[in-house]
Each structure stands twice: as structure tokens, then as C-alpha cells.
Amino acid sequence: QKEVEQDPGPLSVPEGAIVSLNCTYSNSAFQYFMWYRQYSRKGPELLMYTYSSGNKEDGRFTAQVDKSSKYISLFIRDSQPSDSATYLCASNFNKFYFGSGTKLNVKP
Amino acid sequence: KAGVTQTPRYLIKTRGQQVTLSCSPISGHRSVSWYQQTPGQGLQFLFEYFSETQRNKGNFPGRFSGRQFSNSRSEMNVSTLELGDSALYLCASSLVAGISSGANVLTFGAGSRLTVL
């Protein structure tokens, strides 16, 4: 079992839709959870991170962690074509662990 | 503040050759990690260096090696290239190694895209 598992997608939604991206993890020691966004032919860039359980909002993006169920989510409101990218969830404990990525396509 | 710089950005090699990729971390970052990314396998961890010492290593054959210099710059080398080594090689840096904190997240470079013919 991988330390971080991610819905593989791909996911295709119309512009303006609410997007939900999801991951699960297995290591109870994980405390920090990160979301990276990767555009085609670029390196991943940190979108946001959260600590422990709860929500964190940054503009149209909300990261949510439920430690009781070991579930990580990223919500994108009013999705835009510029959000089309691969989204990777991650956590770190001694080293970093990444999900396999979900490719998102937002259609104009 | 300059980001993580990887060179070269693109390269083409033939089977059996060897390749060296370079990574300059963000100033002040002492930990450097390397990842291989392919469409089928996603992001795969190669190794992590901190203070010139390899801290962690992924499940790659011995043909893949790396090192870190005293200025935190890092290189990775792949010998006897195979077709399956074609991938995007990503370097990432963080302040320190082994610390789980919001301040110690990974920052990635743009990657070196290797094509093996």
C-alpha cells in the first residue's frame, strides 16, 4: 500500500464548476499535507499546505484534511481553464510522499 | 529570490551512454531531492541529500547515483542508459531534511527532460 493514494482521474469539468480532488493516506504520523499543481512540461509548484485536521482557504482553493478518516481534499470553486493541470497531494514525515496525481481539464 | 535551477532542461542520449544532471537549490536550502516522473508511474523518489550525505534512497538500480556538494548544489548521474530511463527528472529543495513543518515544504525546479533513443 502506498503511503499516499490519489484518485487517478482524469477529470474533465465545464468552466465554473466546483472541483473536488481527493487523496487518502495511511501513516498516522503525517501532520502536514500539501497540494502541488503541475502544468504541462513544468515542475510542480506548491499550491497550499495545511496542518493537521481542518480547512484552509486561499482564494478559490480550499484544502481540507480529515485525520480521523485519513482523507485529504482540495476544492476549487468557479474553476477556470487556467486551472487545467495535474494536481498532486503530498505529506512529509522524515521524507516526502506524493500521490500519483490527478489530471484536471476545465473546458471553456 | 531565485528558484531551483536545473540544467540542462532538455537532452537526448542514446542507449548505453551516461548522463549527468545538475541542480542548484534555493539559497539557504540544504536538502535536495531527486524524482523521476513518467506518464505511467507518476512521481518516483530517487534520493535525498542533506549536508552532502544521502539520507534516503528510492527503489532504483545502482545505475542511478547522485551527490551533493558543500554549497548544497547537487548532481545526479545515470549510467548505461536504457530506453525506459526517458523521463522528466525533477530536483526539489527544502530548508532541512526530516523535519515535518509548513516552513519545510519542497520547491521544485522545472526539470530536465531526458530522451533516450
Side-chain angles (χ1 to χ4, degrees), chain A residues 2 29-32 34 36 38 41-46 49 86 88 91-100, chain B residues 9-10 35 37 42-43 45 48 55-56 88 90 94 98-106 108-110 113:
Chain A
K2 287 187 68 174
F30 286 173
Q31 294 282 356
Y32 283 90
M34 289 135 272
Y36 286 82
Q38 184 176 21
R41 300 191 170 274
K42 297 285 179 66
E45 58 174 337
L46 180 67
Y49 71 85
T86 297
L88 299 139
S91 187
N92 63 339
F93 182 77
N94 191 41
K95 70 176 189 178
F96 286 84
Y97 299 89
F98 285 87
S100 54
Chain B
R9 289 292 315 279
Y10 302 92
Y35 294 83
Q37 189 175 41
L43 205 61
F45 172 72
E48 179 191 20
R55 281 193 76 246
N56 285 299
L88 180 67
L90 291 160
S94 60
I99 302 291
S100 176
S101 79
N104 199 37
V105 293
L106 281 178
F108 284 86
R113 185 166 295 279

Side-chain angles (χ1 to χ4, degrees), chain A residues 14-65:
Chain A
E15 183 176 353
I18 296 175
V19 176
S20 172
L21 303 169
N22 305 295
C23 295
T24 57
Y25 64 95
S26 57
N27 192 334
S28 299
F30 286 173
Q31 294 282 356
Y32 283 90
F33 303 91
M34 289 135 272
W35 283 95
Y36 286 82
R37 177 176 62 194
Q38 184 176 21
Y39 290 114
S40 182
R41 300 191 170 274
K42 297 285 179 66
E45 58 174 337
L46 180 67
L47 201 53
M48 56 197 305
Y49 71 85
T50 53
Y51 171 71
S52 195
S53 278
N55 293 355
K56 184 174 182 179
E57 192 174 314
D58 184 0
R60 297 184 295 107
F61 297 86
T62 299
Q64 189 174 80
V65 177

Side-chain angles (χ1 to χ4, degrees), chain B residues 13-18 78-83 85 116-117:
Chain B
K13 294 284 186 178
T14 56
R15 280 181 299 174
Q17 287 187 310
Q18 67 95 25
V78 188
S79 62
T80 320
L81 284 166
E82 300 177 359
L83 295 179
D85 297 333
V116 182
L117 302 176

Side-chain angles (χ1 to χ4, degrees), chain B residues 18-79:
Chain B
Q18 67 95 25
V19 65
T20 299
L21 309 177
S22 179
C23 173
S24 294
I26 288 176
S27 178
H29 283 197
R30 293 165 59 197
S31 176
V32 173
S33 301
W34 289 89
Y35 294 83
Q36 181 195 66
Q37 189 175 41
T38 57
Q41 298 295 321
L43 205 61
Q44 305 234 73
F45 172 72
L46 281 156
F47 24 65
E48 179 191 20
Y49 287 89
F50 178 69
S51 294
E52 302 177 67
T53 301
Q54 188 179 88
R55 281 193 76 246
N56 285 299
K57 190 177 190 307
N59 294 328
F60 279 82
R63 300 184 296 106
F64 292 81
S65 63
R67 59 178 175 167
Q68 186 181 34
F69 302 96
S70 58
N71 60 358
S72 294
R73 193 177 69 85
S74 178
E75 287 181 349
M76 67 161 282
N77 185 77
V78 188
S79 62

